[in-house]
Amino acid sequence: MAYFKGDIMFKDIRDIREFKVSDGVSHVESTLYTGRKNDMNVLIKLLNFYSVKDDNDICLNKMYVINELYDNKNIIGIDELVMPIERARIYNDNVVCIYPYVPSYNFNNVISDNSVSVRDKINYLRQIGEILDKMDKVRKRGEISTFYLGDVHESNFIINKDTNRVNVVDMDSSKINFSSDNSSKYLYLCDSIYEVDKYKYREHFGVSVCMIDKNTDIFCYIMIILNYIFGIDMCSLDIKDYNICMEYLRDMGVGNNLVDILYRVYTNDDNINPYMLLDEFTYLKDKIDNNRSKLLRRVCYEGK
């Protein structure tokens, strides 16, 4: 039975059914439903991890983000971003966001699927970087000076079945205009960024969080790329071991320009989006995989 069946708050949406995300997809703060609104298939996101009554500041921030995305979607104008189709609703003290439903494969499953070619995976990774570049252009136009994805990780991207293009979901986790910094998976998990001055921290609803900006979006994007290339959790490495991995890429034939960009994430130089150089990995991924034991030995011995 649908959660909202017969509720006047959702009388404009019919055929509401709970939606189950696929195995392996990171999804913790909400319950999802599908339905039909004005002959459009929609996805209803009930943010039931937070309550307006108990977590008012967090809920107000979520509502602000949803409303700003909706109000500015024409100014933003990026088709790959799955944007809310209306302003936020409140249901039983929970924030509700309604998105268009996109038939898709979750990128977290695609990137780990051995039946998907290396070429296609690199193409999808490049598309993520292209989206970040489009967002940079939006910021530079000046109408929206603050606009970042924030929580950049594999499960927040999908492959649209109709277009075979990467789309961004969970946009309510983004940072726009005067919103607060939402939590970000890879920024939370990576201890090494605390050692780098360009990443700034502040108190956010009682928790110390990394302030979201262009550097953090690119940092997380690079972690996604390298997680795939190395097949390990790059956020778990300390800076010395990370740099060993970068020298390994150079030894495997990856060009100096790309390696130097990847190196920057743990320096105080601003991060650079590497998406235009990712084709190099298409031809070197097998070589990197076949020599992974050499990398592990280097990390074990040189990293001590």
mmCIF file of all heavy atoms in Angstrom, residues 238 240-241 244 298-304:
data_model
loop_
_atom_site.group_PDB
_atom_site.id
_atom_site.type_symbol
_atom_site.label_atom_id
_atom_site.label_comp_id
_atom_site.label_asym_id
_atom_site.label_seq_id
_atom_site.Cartn_x
_atom_site.Cartn_y
_atom_site.Cartn_z
ATOM 1 N N ASP A 238 46.793 7.695 3.237
ATOM 2 C CA ASP A 238 47.376 8.951 3.706
ATOM 3 C C ASP A 238 48.059 9.630 2.518
ATOM 4 O O ASP A 238 48.153 9.064 1.416
ATOM 5 C CB ASP A 238 48.334 8.730 4.875
ATOM 6 C CG ASP A 238 49.523 7.831 4.540
ATOM 7 O OD1 ASP A 238 49.923 7.759 3.358
ATOM 8 O OD2 ASP A 238 50.056 7.192 5.462
ATOM 9 N N LYS A 240 51.137 10.404 1.812
ATOM 10 C CA LYS A 240 52.355 9.774 1.297
ATOM 11 C C LYS A 240 52.011 8.604 0.383
ATOM 12 O O LYS A 240 52.574 8.467 -0.715
ATOM 13 C CB LYS A 240 53.236 9.303 2.450
ATOM 14 C CG LYS A 240 54.585 8.751 2.009
ATOM 15 C CD LYS A 240 55.475 8.436 3.207
ATOM 16 C CE LYS A 240 56.840 7.944 2.750
ATOM 17 N NZ LYS A 240 57.729 7.642 3.907
ATOM 18 N N ASP A 241 51.068 7.764 0.801
ATOM 19 C CA ASP A 241 50.668 6.628 -0.034
ATOM 20 C C ASP A 241 49.951 7.094 -1.299
ATOM 21 O O ASP A 241 50.111 6.492 -2.375
ATOM 22 C CB ASP A 241 49.768 5.682 0.755
ATOM 23 C CG ASP A 241 50.534 4.891 1.809
ATOM 24 O OD1 ASP A 241 51.767 4.849 1.731
ATOM 25 O OD2 ASP A 241 49.880 4.319 2.711
ATOM 26 N N ILE A 244 52.555 8.061 -3.741
ATOM 27 C CA ILE A 244 53.173 6.868 -4.335
ATOM 28 C C ILE A 244 52.325 6.367 -5.499
ATOM 29 O O ILE A 244 52.840 5.977 -6.555
ATOM 30 C CB ILE A 244 53.354 5.770 -3.274
ATOM 31 C CG1 ILE A 244 54.435 6.178 -2.267
ATOM 32 C CG2 ILE A 244 53.723 4.425 -3.924
ATOM 33 C CD1 ILE A 244 54.557 5.238 -1.074
ATOM 34 N N ARG A 298 54.942 -1.230 -3.429
ATOM 35 C CA ARG A 298 55.518 0.102 -3.232
ATOM 36 C C ARG A 298 54.857 0.816 -2.058
ATOM 37 O O ARG A 298 55.523 1.472 -1.252
ATOM 38 C CB ARG A 298 55.378 0.935 -4.510
ATOM 39 C CG ARG A 298 56.307 0.494 -5.617
ATOM 40 C CD ARG A 298 56.093 1.258 -6.894
ATOM 41 N NE ARG A 298 56.462 2.659 -6.786
ATOM 42 C CZ ARG A 298 56.520 3.491 -7.828
ATOM 43 N NH1 ARG A 298 56.241 3.028 -9.042
ATOM 44 N NH2 ARG A 298 56.858 4.744 -7.660
ATOM 45 N N VAL A 299 53.536 0.683 -1.957
ATOM 46 C CA VAL A 299 52.827 1.325 -0.863
ATOM 47 C C VAL A 299 53.268 0.719 0.475
ATOM 48 O O VAL A 299 53.485 1.410 1.468
ATOM 49 C CB VAL A 299 51.295 1.197 -1.044
ATOM 50 C CG1 VAL A 299 50.561 1.613 0.234
ATOM 51 C CG2 VAL A 299 50.847 2.027 -2.231
ATOM 52 N N CYS A 300 53.418 -0.625 0.486
ATOM 53 C CA CYS A 300 53.796 -1.303 1.722
ATOM 54 C C CYS A 300 55.193 -0.923 2.185
ATOM 55 O O CYS A 300 55.442 -0.748 3.385
ATOM 56 C CB CYS A 300 53.713 -2.821 1.530
ATOM 57 S SG CYS A 300 52.027 -3.447 1.422
ATOM 58 N N TYR A 301 56.131 -0.799 1.231
ATOM 59 C CA TYR A 301 57.516 -0.562 1.613
ATOM 60 C C TYR A 301 57.896 0.928 1.626
ATOM 61 O O TYR A 301 58.476 1.414 2.597
ATOM 62 C CB TYR A 301 58.462 -1.322 0.682
ATOM 63 C CG TYR A 301 58.346 -2.814 0.859
ATOM 64 C CD1 TYR A 301 57.733 -3.610 -0.101
ATOM 65 C CD2 TYR A 301 58.842 -3.444 2.011
ATOM 66 C CE1 TYR A 301 57.610 -4.987 0.071
ATOM 67 C CE2 TYR A 301 58.725 -4.816 2.182
ATOM 68 C CZ TYR A 301 58.102 -5.579 1.214
ATOM 69 O OH TYR A 301 57.977 -6.933 1.390
ATOM 70 N N GLU A 302 57.518 1.652 0.580
ATOM 71 C CA GLU A 302 57.887 3.076 0.508
ATOM 72 C C GLU A 302 57.016 3.911 1.428
ATOM 73 O O GLU A 302 57.410 4.963 1.898
ATOM 74 C CB GLU A 302 57.775 3.581 -0.919
ATOM 75 C CG GLU A 302 58.773 2.943 -1.872
ATOM 76 C CD GLU A 302 58.618 3.480 -3.278
ATOM 77 O OE1 GLU A 302 58.254 4.676 -3.435
ATOM 78 O OE2 GLU A 302 58.862 2.729 -4.246
ATOM 79 N N GLY A 303 55.751 3.427 1.686
ATOM 80 C CA GLY A 303 54.833 4.209 2.483
ATOM 81 C C GLY A 303 55.085 4.153 3.966
ATOM 82 O O GLY A 303 54.457 4.849 4.757
ATOM 83 N N LYS A 304 55.985 3.296 4.382
ATOM 84 C CA LYS A 304 56.282 3.167 5.826
ATOM 85 C C LYS A 304 57.117 4.329 6.326
ATOM 86 O O LYS A 304 57.930 4.879 5.595
ATOM 87 C CB LYS A 304 57.036 1.850 6.073
ATOM 88 C CG LYS A 304 56.123 0.632 5.915
ATOM 89 C CD LYS A 304 56.875 -0.630 6.280
ATOM 90 C CE LYS A 304 55.949 -1.856 6.202
ATOM 91 N NZ LYS A 304 56.655 -3.091 6.537
#
